[in-house]
Amino acid sequence: MSKIRKSLFAIILIGFGTITAFAGQDEKNGHAYLTQDELPNMVNFLPPPPEFESARFAADETQYLWGIRQRQDPDRKAMAIRDADYGMQTIIQEYCPILGLEITKTGTPELYTLVQDVGATCDSISDRAKQEYMRTRPFAYYDQPTLVPEQEESHRTNGSYPSGHTVLGWTMALLFSDINPAAAEGLLARGYEYGQSRVIAGYHWQSDVDAGRLAASVLYVKLHSNERFREQLAKAQKEFKEQTEGSSSVTESSISAPVGTSTAYTISGIPATSETRGIIIQNGQKTIRR
């Protein structure tokens, strides 16, 4: 982009204030259901990313500024920082309160295995497209800080298109919706926000995230052609039903204490605050807050 345009962008961004950060690490030790060669090559069916300075790129620029504005909301900012930690533990922490059951290695071994192995499968589908396009990430393009500065160096030369985080987040939303269809709306809402977190954090353009959702949908369809996946999904569905059967879907009570935003959500999968009223999902339990 031109020097004048970059300077104007920098002036706009300075007004949004100082950015804080936090992130963790997660080990990926699942056994992928499909190899990269067995997965569709995204280069062959995805359009290339918008060229910089093109009319299509203007939409990405607009969304980048939208993402910066979202950082002014402390709850949404905190979610974006949590979502930056790519891995199974983040997925469990963020999705299980909506799913309605805590997933652990010993307590729910079938679900745990399924989530790990699906997560491992997600790691491969976007690699070839990333290498093909090697798109510059927003924070590097504008030379502006992200919400997770400790990850900037490792991501600076890593292709932006499509978003691997979004592939993981949307695939898991589809998977958990198969486990508990009754919670599908909340799970899909959270899966959508998982992708948007990458725009808010400054690591991806909106078109990267949109492409990631498409890739995840293709991946999930392909997973259903794998016999080992279908067998493990059936085991996980049975385990979920056995562990949740007979439990009350809503606990009739009134809560006076503030609801923690890290583990509490509305029925639509949006983080709850101390002011939220209605059905709140926290630690796998649904409670009416009046």
Side-chain angles (χ1 to χ4, degrees), residues 199-222:
V199 177
I200 295 169
Y203 277 91
H204 280 287
W205 307 101
Q206 184 65 55
S207 55
D208 300 338
V209 171
D210 295 342
R213 292 194 187 104
L214 176 58
S217 299
V218 171
L219 170 65
Y220 199 62
V221 169
K222 184 67 175 177

Side-chain angles (χ1 to χ4, degrees), residues 66 76 79-81 83-84 147 190 192-203 209:
W66 168 86
R76 192 61 187 87
M79 177 191 282
I81 292 172
D83 288 349
L147 285 182
R190 185 63 183 91
Y192 180 86
E193 292 302 329
Y194 190 94
Q196 293 307 107
S197 287
R198 301 306 285 161
V199 177
I200 295 169
Y203 277 91
V209 171

Side-chain angles (χ1 to χ4, degrees), residues 14-287:
I14 288 171
F16 289 112
T18 305
I19 297 169
T20 58
F22 170 82
Q25 289 294 327
D26 233 347
E27 185 180 1
K28 294 177 281 186
N29 20 347
H31 302 286
Y33 290 106
L34 300 164
T35 67
Q36 187 177 75
D37 289 339
E38 292 172 325
L39 290 167
N41 185 347
M42 293 179 64
V43 176
N44 294 332
F45 67 86
L46 270 183
E51 294 182 4
F52 294 125
E53 304 300 317
S54 69
R56 289 177 61 212
F57 180 61
D60 275 342
E61 289 192 294
T62 300
Q63 279 298 97
Y64 178 72
L65 287 176
W66 168 86
I68 299 295
R69 289 195 298 272
Q70 300 312 300
R71 299 178 190 181
Q72 296 176 345
D73 179 342
D75 293 337
R76 192 61 187 87
K77 177 181 175 179
M79 177 191 282
I81 292 172
R82 295 196 309 272
D83 288 349
D85 189 4
Y86 183 101
M88 184 176 177
Q89 291 310 311
T90 298
I91 292 296
I92 288 175
Q93 173 186 324
E94 299 300 319
Y95 286 70
C96 283
I98 308 169
L99 176 67
L101 179 67
E102 183 182 3
I103 296 176
T104 65
K105 189 173 184 178
T106 55
T108 56
E110 303 298 352
L111 277 160
Y112 187 90
T113 297
L114 179 67
V115 171
Q116 268 208 325
D117 292 355
V118 169
T121 312
C122 290
D123 296 340
S124 299
I125 193 169
S126 60
D127 287 351
R128 284 181 288 198
K130 282 179 176 287
Q131 293 166 9
E132 172 75 16
Y133 299 115
M134 286 305 296
R135 191 184 194 192
T136 303
R137 292 175 182 268
F139 76 89
Y141 184 78
Y142 295 123
D143 194 23
Q144 292 295 324
T146 69
L147 285 182
V148 194
E150 61 268 31
Q151 295 183 11
E152 289 174 14
E153 193 57 37
S154 62
H155 285 70
R156 192 172 295 275
T157 56
N158 177 269
S160 182
Y161 183 88
S163 165
H165 273 72
T166 303
V167 172
L168 176 67
W170 192 245
T171 300
M172 289 301 173
L174 295 172
L175 176 67
F176 288 138
S177 294
D178 261 351
I179 300 297
N180 184 9
E185 289 185 1
L187 290 164
L188 292 170
R190 185 63 183 91
Y192 180 86
E193 292 302 329
Y194 190 94
Q196 293 307 107
S197 287
R198 301 306 285 161
V199 177
I200 295 169
Y203 277 91
H204 280 287
W205 307 101
Q206 184 65 55
S207 55
D208 300 338
V209 171
D210 295 342
R213 292 194 187 104
L214 176 58
S217 299
V218 171
L219 170 65
Y220 199 62
V221 169
K222 184 67 175 177
L223 274 171
H224 279 273
S225 70
N226 181 272
E227 185 177 359
R228 181 165 68 90
F229 167 78
R230 294 196 304 270
E231 290 175 352
Q232 189 60 40
L233 175 62
K235 292 177 183 178
Q237 289 170 327
K238 181 173 182 287
E239 182 177 70
F240 178 85
K241 184 178 181 180
E242 289 173 349
Q243 296 212 22
T244 58
E245 214 166 27
S247 62
S248 174
S249 59
V250 177
T251 302
E252 292 282 351
S253 64
S254 181
I255 302 173
S256 57
V259 180
T261 57
S262 62
T263 56
Y265 299 87
T266 66
I267 196 69
S268 297
I270 305 301
T273 69
S274 58
E275 303 301 319
T276 304
R277 298 292 184 270
I279 298 176
I280 304 299
I281 306 171
Q282 188 171 26
N283 298 325
Q285 300 296 317
K286 294 179 183 178
T287 307

